[in-house]
RNA sequence: GCCGCCGUGGCGGAACUGGUAUACGCGACGGACUUAAAAUCCGUUGGCCGCAAGGCCGUGUCGGUUCGAUUCCGACCGGCGGCACCA
């Protein structure tokens, strides 16, 4: 029970309030901007201002960072130590739904309460730099960052299915889904297809940097591993399996299938060495090819299975799927290594979102495939022989037969490790590691050399296009093209309508053998897309290229009803980076006519100028629209320009896959930063001009999300309906808000220049402070916050918003505080009733006691239970220290010098090594040694107070003042220890016989081995243990022990 | 299942680089002060045997390396955290 401390002399609450007030008035924690001393940036993860206020876990991290901040200040550093609030989020919004109180009101109230609580612990924060993410002055720059992402093609809208929490009525990022349930409310998550904004964290430009950047960081290894696993890089190969053309009763004509974008089934595998053991294939039920290949006979079963798996929530699909399920499609594919005809199944153990959404199944060497094959009686062929001898032999571990079992016993288990290849044709006998490489090489070399992808984009040139493209497709098919990716027909202006989908399909298929064809305005699209893709291709063919600069304004007028949403990419035609485009293709071909009103000489001049190396072919007498073809000319005439069969088609291609998915950046909720995009019917997605930022979050009457995927903002007509900033036409604001994590991934930049209204922060100030030297917070942010913040920082670095000098990693050193558990050893929670309220602790014991106890409980990074009884020990220590102040006298510190300097050394080292718990122990030990005496030497007492001041600032300051000092103790320099004074004159030498302690005595510290031996052998006890025998060997550890071996 | 971390007194924990295991604190027990209690102060406190000197055992379990292991290696058991059909 909490015991009364009323009659203790030290009145903590009075003293603490007194100094908190005085420090604030004097502004002694204000950051000194102009200082030539080295900088140190100590950052805490800022809290969400919850209604429950501060948790005892918060002060643990804050105290540690405060100790470090004060320590570095006293060591002469120039320290930035700020605090703020991450104040957008669901709880305030849910509270608003329940009570009608505006989230801003709730948030302000909670912030005030938490700020009071934080201040009551006496931390040395520079509150003048406080950052609040829901403050428009702040989120203006969150929006600005979003606009930069958008302008760099890293923020995009998509209709893909997302994780949807039915209770919170909002989309969740993958990282927010835990065991198939919503991180916040535990509701099972379902898939929902809604329009959403995503941020391309998986962009090639960033993903490897996010991975490798971890290598040099001073972070806990566990967090780095967590991030690496989350990114989930795996190396392997994409292998193409041809469809078997003899399939019976196809529902679709073979030509239809083959002319689709899937002529083959592509799989991703990390084990190409097991290809000879691939006895069947599995597509995920969502795979687009399923419809095309399923046979009439299997159609019903496949449809039923697809429906079933679609209806399952993620939770059911993973949790309940202990038993594998699946259905045969009726189709077969050809294994490229041995031309074996293997069945194609669908099963929901194959994920549509990873790899290509299809696998080759090698039941002998993959647990899941094995299980599936057993259940559906599919053949199992062993192709890897497990090593029969262990890499290292340990006789104690029994015989190697334990390993041999796996070789023989394919009935009940499979071998997923490496080994020697068997049943694999010419690869028999080589190791599986080698086989991985060799099989991929071999497959590539034996394949007929043809192109594998042709991307065709036409313009909006109108009527006859429907004829041109199917025909082109067919002709190219006949000509032996491996894969033709067609345009998608649709209403109005087909390409434009399907533009987004269209691009997505190509991206992975395009490689250095691809040919890209554009017609009319599609030429600009092709070039722009190529530039965005940043992949090398073989050839770019431009047929009747119209000058985009000339045409877009006209077209907008001409086709006001068109889906101009989709034209956005082309509106950026002004942004062509010609040198880059020219570097991306080996060959450029331009085909035009001399009789084309849409391709006037200016257009040709435009392309000639920018693509000087292009081969130009003029078709005399043709026009832009030709009767039969819809193109500039008839196909037979342009086909010769398609380069034929000049390079490799990749049947197998080494590649890399990641688990990480793009970051869901929109929520269908209210209390968040509005996404600064305007949707115009003509111009599409238009970024809000920077001068119009911030887009303020308006008031609403109802906070409930509509549940249909729209936020409550959609109901405010006067806010939603705006004029397009580009064309002035009618437009609508984006009504989704940003996710919880939007504001928190750059707040540490803002602290450097918290009130700048011209830019997110002055680069000069960023240069001064970044990167963060020490970042302290909970391990629960290991993935979400720390990954996103690193990504945004790298992006800001790339666009030069973060100066080059700062580097592209924001947090040099990271420390995670361990969880503080309840007294019952369980996680603190309201329902368990084991929550400790910091306010009460401070009231009973004082802030300094609280701070020191939190440090004393155990290692900073370990989880440890709170103990109300334990805290009294710290309080007693502080009381004794307080009392000892009365006995301070100006006496010479003679013998005490050594222990004083030892203490300085311990405290200094332990702070540097984050061992705050042992600091407290050292303080207590020193206190027991010195302060129970009648006379306390001033030198010892004062130095002790300076060392203690980062831990117990109020008491240290109070006692410092009582000693007669006029200036704050925090102006003191951190004491240095003198190594000479620490050396002990005498030590206890331990004498061992056969490694067991048998005697010990005090000897001069520098005792030599011979002397030590003499003394030890003289000991009666040792004589007894030696039993008259001569030691075989003597081990002498200077300053510690001597050991005789007999 | 996979990845990471961790097992030391009644409890939180300490132990440098392989060198006296259990520092410091809590609790418990005994004592002082007090009419009494609280508070405070002093002492004892890993287990077993012994009057004692002293001895034996002891850092999750079993084994290994070593003159010597809480520390290094191997296997296992138990706990915590994360990921989870990632091909």
């Amino acid at each position: 029970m909490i015991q009364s401390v009323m009659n203790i002399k030290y009145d903590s609450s009075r003293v603490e309030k007194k100094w908190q007030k005085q420090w604030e008035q004097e502004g002694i924690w204000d950051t000194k901007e102009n200082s030539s001393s080295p900088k140190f940036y100590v950052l805490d993860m800022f809290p969400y201002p919850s209604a429950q206020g501060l948790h005892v876990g918060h002060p643990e991290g804050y105290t540690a960072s405060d100790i470090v901040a004060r320590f570095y200040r006293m060591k002469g550093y120039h320290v930035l130590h700020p605090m703020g609030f991450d104040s957008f989020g669901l709880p305030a919004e849910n509270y608003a739904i329940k009570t009608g109180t505006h989230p801003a009101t709730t948030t302000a109230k909670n912030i005030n309460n938490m700020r009071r609580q934080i201040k009551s612990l006496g931390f040395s924060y520079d509150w003048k730099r406080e950052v609040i993410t829901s403050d428009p002055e702040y989120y203006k720059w969150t929006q600005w960052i979003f606009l930069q992402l958008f302008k760099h093609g890293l923020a995009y809208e998509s209709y893909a299915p997302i994780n949807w929490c039915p209770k919170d009525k909002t989309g969740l990022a993958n990282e927010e889904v835990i065991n198939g349930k919503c991180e916040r409310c535990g509701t099972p998550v379902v898939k929902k297809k809604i329009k959403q904004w995503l941020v391309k964290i998986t962009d090639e430009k960033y993903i490897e940097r996010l991975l490798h950047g971890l290598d040099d960081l001073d972070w806990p290894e566990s967090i780095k591993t967590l991030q690496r696993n989350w990114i989930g890089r795996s190396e392997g190969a994409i292998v193409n399996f041809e469809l078997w053309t003899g399939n019976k009763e196809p529902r679709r004509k073979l030509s239809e299938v083959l002319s689709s974008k899937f002529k083959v089934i592509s799989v991703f595998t990390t084990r190409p060495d097991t290809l000879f053991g691939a006895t069947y294939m599995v597509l995920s039920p969502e795979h687009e090819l399923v419809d095309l290949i399923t046979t009439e006979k299997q159609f019903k079963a496949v449809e039923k299975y697809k429906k079933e798996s679609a209806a399952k929530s993620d939770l059911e699909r993973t949790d309940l799927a202990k038993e594998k399920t699946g259905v045969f499609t009726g189709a077969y594919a050809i294994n490229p290594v041995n031309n074996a005809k293997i069945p194609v199944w669908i099963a929901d153990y194959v994920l549509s979102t990873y790899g290509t959404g299809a696998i080759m199944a090698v039941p002998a060497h993959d647990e899941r495939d094995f299980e599936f094959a057993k259940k559906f009686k599919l053949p199992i062929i062993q192709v890897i022989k497990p090593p029969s001898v262990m890499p290292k032999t340990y006789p104690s571990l029994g015989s190697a037969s334990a390993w041999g079992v796996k070789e023989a016993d394919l009935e009940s288990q499979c071998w997923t490790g490496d080994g020697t290849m068997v049943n694999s044709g010419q690869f028999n006998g080589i190791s599986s590691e080698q086989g991985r490489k060799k099989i991929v090489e071999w497959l590539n070399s034996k394949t007929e050399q043809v192109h594998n992808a042709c991307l065709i984009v036409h313009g909006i040139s109108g009527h006859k296009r429907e004829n041109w493209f199917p025909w082109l497709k067919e002709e190219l098919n006949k000509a032996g093209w491996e894969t033709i990716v067609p345009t998608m027909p649709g209403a109005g202006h087909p390409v434009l309508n399907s533009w987004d989908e269209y691009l997505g399909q190509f991206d992975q298929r395009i490689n250095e053998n691809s040919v890209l064809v554009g017609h009319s305005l599609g030429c600009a699209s092709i070039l722009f897309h190529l530039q965005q893709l940043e992949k090398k291709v073989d050839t770019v063919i431009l047929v009747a290229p119209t000058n985009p600069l000339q045409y877009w304004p006209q077209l907008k007028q001409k086709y006001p009803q068109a889906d101009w949403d989709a034209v956005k990419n082309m509106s950026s035609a002004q942004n062509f980076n010609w040198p880059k485009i020219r570097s991306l293709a080996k060959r450029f071909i331009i085909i035009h006519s001399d009789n084309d009103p849409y391709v006037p000489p200016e257009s040709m001049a435009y392309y000639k100028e920018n693509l000087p190396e292009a081969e130009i072919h003029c078709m005399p007498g043709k026009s832009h629209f030709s009767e039969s073809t819809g193109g500039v000319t008839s196909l037979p005439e342009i086909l010769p320009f398609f380069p034929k069969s000049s390079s490799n088609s990749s049947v197998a291609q080494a590649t890399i896959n990641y688990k990480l998915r793009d970051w869901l950046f929109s929520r269908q909720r209210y209390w968040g930063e509005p996404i600064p995009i305007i949707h115009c019917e003509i111009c599409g997605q238009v970024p809000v001009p920077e001068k119009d930022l911030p887009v303020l979050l308006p008031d609403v009457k109802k906070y409930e999300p509509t549940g249909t995927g729209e936020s409550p903002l959609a109901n405010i007509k006067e806010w939603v309906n705006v004029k397009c900033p580009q064309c002035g036409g009618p437009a609508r604001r984006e009504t989704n808000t940003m996710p919880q994590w939007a504001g928190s991934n750059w707040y540490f930049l803002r602290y450097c220049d918290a009130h700048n209204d011209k830019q997110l922060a002055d680069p000069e100030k960023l240069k001064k402070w970044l990167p963060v030297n020490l970042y302290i917070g909970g391990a629960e942010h290991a993935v979400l916050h720390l990954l996103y913040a690193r990504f945004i920082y790298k992006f800001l670095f790339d666009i030069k918003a973060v100066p080059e000098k700062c580097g592209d990693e924001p947090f040099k050193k990271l420390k995670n505080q361990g969880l503080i558990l309840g007294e019952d050893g369980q996680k603190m929670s309201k329902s368990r009733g084991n929550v400790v309220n910091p306010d009460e602790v401070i009231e009973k014991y004082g802030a300094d006691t609280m701070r020191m106890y939190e440090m004393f409980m155990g290692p900073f990074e370990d989880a440890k239970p709170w103990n109300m009884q334990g805290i009294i020990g710290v309080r007693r220590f502080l009381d004794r220290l307080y009392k000892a102040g009365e006995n301070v006298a100006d006496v010479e510190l003679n013998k005490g010098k050594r222990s004083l300097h030892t203490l300085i050394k311990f405290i200094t080292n332990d702070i540097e090594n984050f061992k705050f718990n042992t600091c407290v122990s050292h303080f207590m030990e020193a206190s027991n040694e010195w302060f129970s005496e009648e006379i306390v030497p001033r030198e010892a007492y004062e130095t002790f107070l300076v060392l203690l001041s980062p831990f117990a600032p109020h008491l240290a300051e109070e006692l410092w003042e009582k000693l007669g000092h006029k200036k704050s103790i925090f102006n003191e320099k951190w004491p240095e220890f003198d190594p000479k004074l620490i050396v002990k004159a005498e030590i206890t030498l331990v004498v061992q016989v056969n490694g067991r302690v048998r005697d010990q005595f005090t000897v001069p510290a520098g005792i030599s081995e011979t002397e030590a031996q003499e003394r030890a052998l003289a000991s009666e006890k040792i004589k007894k243990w030696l039993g008259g025998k001569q030691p075989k060997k003597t081990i002498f550890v200077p300053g510690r022990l001597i050991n005789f071996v007999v």
Side-chain angles (χ1 to χ4, degrees), chain A residues 533-776:
Chain A
L533 254 183
E534 300 207 337
K535 268 191 194 172
K536 285 203 194 281
V537 298
D538 190 90
T539 306
V540 172
I541 301 178
L542 306 177
V543 181
T546 43
N547 180 346
L549 300 182
Q550 233 173 358
Y551 272 87
W552 285 121
Q554 296 175 27
L555 284 164
K556 277 183 194 170
Q557 280 173 3
K558 195 173 165 191
Y559 299 105
Q561 79 283 14
D563 183 0
W564 291 102
D565 209 10
V567 190
K568 62 157 170 114
N569 284 324
M570 281 167 287
S571 66
S572 310
Q574 293 95 319
N575 300 331
F576 277 149
N577 178 347
W578 287 105
K580 183 164 156 196
I581 290 172
R582 282 158 55 193
S583 73
L584 289 172
K586 284 189 211 142
R587 193 174 169 205
F588 288 92
I589 300 171
I590 297 175
I591 302 164
H592 70 115
S593 90
D594 61 355
N595 180 25
D596 188 340
Y598 291 88
V599 189
E602 307 89 85
S603 287
M604 280 312 296
Y606 174 76
Y607 283 100
K608 276 182 191 167
E609 186 196 328
N610 291 304
L611 293 171
E613 65 274 70
E615 302 159 31
I616 296 175
H617 300 273
C618 183
M619 304 263 124
K622 304 288 179 180
S623 74
H624 201 71
F625 304 125
S626 163
E627 239 335 276
S628 60
T629 64
V632 66
T633 182
S634 66
L635 248 212
E637 281 174 283
I638 65 163
L639 269 179
F641 300 112
F642 283 69
K644 256 194 196 171
S645 305
S646 61
S647 52
N648 250 352
S649 121
S650 298
V651 161
Q653 187 188 351
T655 185
I656 291 158
N657 247 306
Y658 303 91
K659 282 198 267 181
L660 185 67
R661 316 278 153 68
D662 280 345
W663 175 10
L664 180 65
F665 209 80
S666 55
R667 303 190 310 161
Q668 297 65 40
R669 299 290 298 228
Y670 170 68
W671 187 234
E673 301 88 344
I675 291 176
I677 291 289
I678 289 167
H679 299 275
C680 167
E681 286 170 27
I682 296 185
C683 311
Q685 301 161 332
V686 179
V688 171
E690 283 179 23
K691 66 174 171 48
D692 296 341
L693 294 181
V695 176
L696 292 172
L697 185 62
D699 275 344
V700 293
K701 294 203 181 67
K702 283 183 70 186
Y703 303 101
E704 288 270 13
T706 57
T708 57
E710 279 202 302
S711 96
L713 292 179
N715 296 327
I716 320 174
K717 298 258 158 0
E718 58 279 20
W719 183 80
V720 170
N721 295 318
V722 288
K723 275 188 184 164
C724 169
Q726 236 169 62
C727 69
R732 285 172 57 85
R733 281 192 193 282
E734 171 64 51
T735 58
N736 279 320
T737 56
M738 296 191 200
Q740 169 92 71
W741 306 95
S744 63
N745 53 50
W746 71 278
Y747 72 108
F748 52 95
L749 302 182
R750 190 66 177 169
Y751 283 139
C752 300
D753 192 11
H755 306 292
N756 194 327
D757 57 0
K758 302 279 185 303
Q759 48 197 328
L760 88 169
D762 178 354
E764 285 308 310
K765 295 189 174 171
L766 294 178
K767 253 192 234 170
K768 176 177 277 171
W769 292 113
L770 291 171
V772 172
N773 295 73
L774 176 63
Y775 194 22
I776 295 180

Side-chain angles (χ1 to χ4, degrees), chain A residues 72 94 171 229 298 357 427 435 535 584 672 679 727 802 872 959:
Chain A
Y72 276 94
N94 287 340
N229 289 347
Q298 293 300 105
F427 298 98
K535 268 191 194 172
L584 289 172
H679 299 275
C727 69
V802 166
I872 192 71
L959 292 172

Side-chain angles (χ1 to χ4, degrees), chain A residues 441-453 479-483 513 538 586 643-651:
Chain A
E441 281 166 16
W442 171 67
L443 274 175
N444 276 331
S445 66
K446 79 170 195 139
T447 314
E448 219 187 309
Q449 303 211 325
V450 280
H451 285 284
N452 79 329
W481 287 71
E482 183 74 8
T483 306
N513 304 320
D538 190 90
K586 284 189 211 142
K644 256 194 196 171
S645 305
S646 61
S647 52
N648 250 352
S649 121
S650 298
V651 161

Side-chain angles (χ1 to χ4, degrees), chain A residues 115-267:
Chain A
R115 193 192 289 117
R116 173 193 65 76
Q117 289 185 302
I118 294 171
K119 284 188 172 179
S120 76
L121 279 152
F123 298 125
S124 60
Y125 293 121
D126 179 356
W127 286 102
K128 297 196 171 108
R129 290 164 185 260
E130 183 186 56
V131 150
I132 294 175
T133 55
S134 59
D135 180 351
E137 292 298 302
Y138 179 84
Y139 71 66
K140 173 179 179 177
W141 300 105
T142 311
Q143 291 177 335
W144 181 86
I145 292 171
F146 178 85
L147 288 184
Q148 307 313 307
L149 287 166
F150 178 75
K151 286 174 185 167
H152 286 80
L154 292 168
Y156 64 98
E157 256 185 315
S158 156
Y159 275 103
I162 54 157
N163 306 303
W164 177 262
C165 172
K167 183 155 172 272
D168 287 343
K169 291 187 177 135
T170 188
L172 302 172
N174 279 306
E175 292 80 351
E176 292 171 304
V177 181
I178 295 177
N179 289 331
K181 293 177 187 168
C182 170
E183 178 186 53
R184 280 184 224 93
C185 61
T187 312
V189 163
V190 295
K191 290 271 183 238
K192 184 165 179 168
K193 221 175 178 180
I194 56 164
K195 202 171 188 179
Q196 63 204 302
W197 283 94
L198 294 158
V199 167
K200 216 169 172 192
I201 191 169
T202 58
D203 193 281
E204 282 181 13
K205 221 173 143 189
Y206 292 98
I207 195 154
E208 286 290 318
R209 278 159 76 197
L210 286 170
L211 199 57
H212 294 128
L214 290 169
D215 297 347
D216 301 325
L217 295 179
D218 183 3
W219 285 22
E221 259 333 292
S222 58
I223 302 287
K224 291 203 219 173
T225 310
L226 228 52
Q227 288 213 1
R228 288 190 188 111
N229 289 347
W230 199 268
I231 294 168
R233 181 186 205 273
S234 60
E235 273 179 60
I238 287 184
V239 181
N240 294 332
F241 284 61
E242 269 180 65
L243 285 163
W244 181 58
T245 48
N247 285 333
K248 290 270 161 37
E249 332 159 49
R251 294 191 73 250
R252 310 287 190 113
K253 277 191 200 133
L254 185 67
S255 62
E256 197 182 343
V257 177
L258 292 184
S259 64
S260 77
K261 62 180 178 175
F262 303 106
K263 191 179 173 180
V264 295
I265 303 177
S266 290
V267 302

